[in-house]
Amino acid sequence: MLTMVGYCWLCHQNLYFAYHGICHVCHQKLKRLQNVCPRCAQPSESKGISCGRCLRHPPPWQQLIAITDYAPPLSQLIHRYKYQNTPQLATALARLFLLHWLQGYREGRWHKPDSILGIPPHRKKRWQRGFDHIALMAHPLSRWLQCPYQPDLLQRSRATLAQRGLSAAQRKTNLKHAFLLQGDFIDKHVAIFDDVITTGTTLHEASQLLIRAGARSVQAWAICRTL
Ligand SMILES: [Zn+2]
Ligand SMILES: [Zn+2]
């Protein structure tokens, strides 16, 4: 049998299963999003139902599913993954999301989608990074959930500026007609995966395309949600 020594990416202890990437203790310690609106994942008092903002202006997606706030330790792992050339972190991050998603699935909080799409990375950034950080996480997720990942169906139609550092209004203009969608989505339940959801403008743009193309529901998936 092939044995492989692995260490937890967070506490550096030996792992029983190297492929887990994160140990049980660190996994348990993650501070999950609590008391948030299921639709926008922003703090909300109304338990389990959409917050006032979402009732007044319903976003084009039905659920926003993220493990934690964009804060340590996951924010540091994502930073290391994306900016310090550590594609090996993809499976560990994807697995954290899988466990989080499965828990809600078992509790009947959401359904299994028909397909998974990813927010396509900027071409230039992808080239600089040397890997597609969304695809590397979405592939194992798709395998584990037995749900097809179809990255070619949602593409960037033109080079947009990176959203970081732009104001909300600038983000909106920047993303207008930024994506091209193809394929048949009529009556489909679709999940869109991103690493971090900040203002949700990118997600909004992509989800709206899906709904206009006839999708029945959209689940927004992310490792972290900026609060
Ligand atoms: Zn650990
Ligand atoms: Zn809400």
Side-chain angles (χ1 to χ4, degrees), residues 7-12 15 21-23 77 80 86 88-89 92:
Y7 301 96
C8 172
W9 285 98
L10 292 174
C11 68
H12 312 293
L15 286 172
I22 307 287
C23 76
L77 275 195
R80 185 160 176 201
T86 322
Q88 309 88 297
L89 264 165

Side-chain angles (χ1 to χ4, degrees), residues 160-207:
T160 47
L161 300 169
Q163 293 284 87
R164 269 170 97 191
L166 298 184
S167 72
Q170 286 170 324
R171 280 173 186 242
K172 246 181 209 156
T173 328
N174 184 37
L175 281 178
K176 222 161 194 178
H177 312 300
F179 298 112
L180 275 178
L181 183 73
Q182 46 190 337
D184 176 18
F185 290 100
I186 294 173
D187 262 359
K188 293 276 162 53
H189 299 282
V190 188
I192 309 185
F193 185 56
D194 204 353
D195 54 341
V196 181
I197 295 173
T198 306
T199 58
T201 322
T202 313
L203 180 66
H204 196 280
E205 200 66 24
S207 309

Side-chain angles (χ1 to χ4, degrees), residues 37 39-40 51 53-54:
C37 162
R39 194 144 180 184
C40 66
C51 69
R53 287 180 304 272
C54 287

Side-chain angles (χ1 to χ4, degrees), residues 7 37 46 58-59 65 86 88 94 103 108-109 139 178 227:
Y7 301 96
C37 162
S46 36
I65 307 167
T86 322
Q88 309 88 297
Q103 192 182 342
R109 281 186 280 142
H139 277 299
L227 293 185

